[in-house]
């Protein structure tokens, strides 16, 4: 009857209103928990070396409420926060919903209410870390998030899982760039390599200028660069990356190390090939060219 239909509609509307109210209250509770740490996470003044503008890290990130351990592992607060999300996911997975897509759509708001405020706190807590430390810590936190989402199929196949995975890829790329640049700069070869790369990119086919005549690429500069890089590669501590060793996921850690090794190898090969080419004007390079790229690749254990 019409009355029964209207009654059912009113009942459904009441249920939807109740659901919205419950969700709103739940979202506010989750947000409030993270907001408390955002409010208390006031950044202290980072220490710095005299005459050096680079920030240095200490045993914590000088954050009140959110401290970061020397091991760069996620704070227990985040683990507890994600444990609550996991509990809710487990309960939600028992719902008799018709399709996985419907599960994903209905859970998106819940997922975002946990992930978004947590990421805000994470980003605020890393301000005093070095660039390398930031990448390592973010990778460890993001990986912890993904491990939780992987426990249920409707969260593993969600758009949020995909975006978090992409964030890890971005941090991996940044980490490889940061660590390899640091090594090359520390060895004093970064500027030489940059000049060489710029020359190759801008050189025209009819340009008769030899590489050895380019400012910054003279014979002494090139020989010093390849000697410094060779000494590093063949040293006992070659590719020692203590910060990267703090990446908790073994596969990611291996990929980043291999990425840095590839950059170092490419740098060596670029110097080697340039010195070996007689047309570039370099002479008496036998000593500098005694280690072939193949041997260097083997030393770097590139996979």
């Amino acid at each position: 009857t019409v009355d029964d239909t209207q009654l059912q509609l009113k009942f459904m509307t009441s249920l939807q209103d109740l659901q919205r109210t419950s969700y709103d209250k739940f979202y506010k509770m989750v947000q409030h928990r993270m907001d408390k740490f955002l409010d208390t996470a006031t950044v202290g003044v980072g220490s710095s070396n005299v005459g050096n503008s680079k920030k240095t890290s200490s045993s914590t990130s000088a954050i009140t409420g959110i401290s970061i351990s020397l091991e760069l592992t996620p704070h227990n607060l985040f683990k507890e926060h994600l444990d609550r999300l996991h509990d809710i996911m487990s309960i939600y997975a028992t719902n008799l919903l018709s399709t996985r897509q419907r599960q994903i759509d209905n859970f998106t708001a819940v997922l975002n209410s946990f992930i978004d405020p947590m990421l805000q706190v994470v980003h605020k807590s890393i301000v005093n870390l070095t660039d390398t430390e930031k990448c390592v810590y973010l990778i460890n936190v993001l990986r912890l998030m993904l491990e939780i989402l992987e426990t249920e199929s409707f969260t593993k196949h969600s758009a949020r899982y995909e975006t978090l995975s992409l964030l890890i890829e971005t941090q991996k790329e940044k980490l490889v760039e940061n660590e390899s640049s640091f090594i090359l700069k520390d060895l004093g070869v970064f500027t030489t390599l940059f000049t060489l790369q710029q020359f190759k990119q801008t050189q025209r086919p009819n340009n008769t200028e030899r590489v050895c005549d380019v400012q910054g690429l003279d014979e002494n500069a090139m020989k010093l660069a390849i000697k410094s890089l060779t000494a590093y590669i063949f040293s006992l501590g070659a590719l020692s990356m203590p910060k990267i060793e703090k990446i908790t996921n073994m596969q990611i850690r291996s990929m980043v190390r291999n990425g840095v090794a590839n950059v170092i190898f490419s740098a060596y090969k670029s110097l080697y090939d340039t010195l070996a080419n007689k047309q570039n004007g370099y002479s008496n390079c036998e000593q500098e060219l005694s280690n072939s790229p193949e041997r260097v690749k083997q030393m770097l254990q590139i996979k």
Side-chain angles (χ1 to χ4, degrees):
T1 66
V2 175
D3 289 340
D4 289 339
T5 302
Q6 289 179 342
L7 185 62
Q8 287 178 358
L9 287 173
K10 287 182 180 180
F11 180 68
M12 290 299 295
T13 301
S14 297
L15 285 178
Q16 289 173 353
D17 289 341
L18 181 62
Q19 184 186 46
R20 277 194 295 270
T21 302
S22 300
Y23 272 126
D24 287 343
K25 183 175 287 190
F26 169 75
Y27 297 149
K28 288 177 182 178
M29 287 173 59
V30 175
Q31 182 70 50
H32 178 67
R33 176 176 171 79
M34 287 291 109
D35 282 346
K36 285 195 302 182
F37 289 96
L38 274 175
D39 292 338
T40 58
T42 54
V43 182
V45 179
S47 60
S48 61
N49 293 329
V50 177
N52 188 348
S53 61
K54 290 183 179 179
K55 294 177 182 177
T56 58
S57 62
S58 57
S59 58
T60 70
S61 60
I63 302 294
T64 304
I66 300 294
S67 61
I68 296 178
S69 71
L70 285 170
E71 296 306 310
L72 300 176
T73 52
H75 194 280
N76 283 335
L77 162 73
F78 300 139
K79 294 178 181 178
E80 294 169 4
H81 186 69
L82 292 173
D83 282 342
R84 287 186 174 87
L85 172 60
H86 180 257
D87 291 340
I88 294 171
M89 286 166 51
S90 299
I91 295 170
Y92 196 83
T94 63
N95 280 346
L96 299 177
L97 297 173
S98 56
T99 64
R100 185 178 69 188
Q101 187 57 48
R102 189 177 171 191
Q103 283 183 313
I104 294 171
D105 293 341
N106 287 333
F107 200 73
T108 297
V110 176
L111 196 55
N112 291 340
S113 72
F114 272 86
I115 299 298
D116 289 338
M118 178 174 165
L119 285 177
Q120 290 178 38
V121 176
V122 170
H123 282 292
K124 188 168 184 178
S125 66
I126 63 175
V127 292
N128 280 348
L129 299 182
T130 65
D131 289 339
T132 293
E133 289 170 338
K134 285 178 183 178
C135 291
V136 172
Y137 189 69
L138 282 170
I139 287 172
N140 287 341
V141 170
L142 291 169
R143 192 50 234 164
L144 182 64
M145 290 180 177
L146 290 184
E147 286 172 4
I148 295 298
L149 300 189
E150 286 166 359
T151 60
E152 299 292 347
S153 114
F154 64 90
T155 47
K156 185 176 181 180
H157 293 90
S158 65
R160 200 58 198 261
Y161 182 91
E162 186 177 346
T163 57
L164 291 174
S165 299
L166 289 174
L167 277 176
I168 287 185
E169 292 303 313
T170 300
Q171 294 306 316
K172 282 162 56 179
E173 291 173 6
K174 284 184 180 179
L175 187 51
V176 169
E177 181 181 352
N178 289 338
E179 191 68 13
S180 56
S181 295
F182 172 80
I183 292 171
L184 295 174
K185 287 176 181 177
D186 191 52
L187 295 173
V189 302
F190 185 85
T191 302
T192 303
L193 287 164
F194 179 78
T195 305
L196 180 59
Q197 184 182 29
Q198 289 294 106
F199 175 77
K200 289 180 177 179
Q201 289 177 349
T202 58
Q203 187 181 30
R204 296 179 180 179
N206 58 348
N207 187 3
T208 58
E209 183 181 18
R210 298 185 305 172
V211 181
C212 68
D213 296 326
V214 177
Q215 185 177 359
L217 299 178
D218 57 88
E219 190 166 304
N220 286 336
M222 288 291 289
K223 286 184 176 181
L224 281 173
I226 198 169
K227 282 180 180 178
S228 178
L229 198 52
T230 302
Y232 169 76
I233 292 169
F234 285 86
S235 67
L236 292 176
L239 293 183
S240 174
M241 294 175 271
K243 298 297 182 185
I244 288 177
E245 289 302 318
K246 295 178 181 180
I247 296 175
T248 54
N249 184 276
M250 188 180 298
Q251 184 180 9
I252 295 176
R253 185 167 67 240
S254 176
M255 289 174 68
V256 171
R257 283 183 58 83
N258 200 55
V260 174
N262 269 303
V263 173
I264 301 300
F265 172 73
S266 296
Y268 180 86
K269 192 172 187 306
S270 180
L271 294 172
Y272 184 97
D273 291 345
T274 303
L275 285 171
N277 189 338
K278 299 295 183 182
Q279 294 180 354
N280 292 329
Y282 300 105
S283 60
N284 302 318
C285 301
E286 291 78 12
Q287 183 180 352
E288 289 76 19
L289 301 177
S290 58
N291 294 293
S292 67
E294 290 74 21
R295 187 183 179 200
V296 167
K297 192 171 187 177
Q298 185 178 10
M299 283 297 299
L300 292 174
Q301 300 177 349
I302 293 175
K303 300 173 182 177

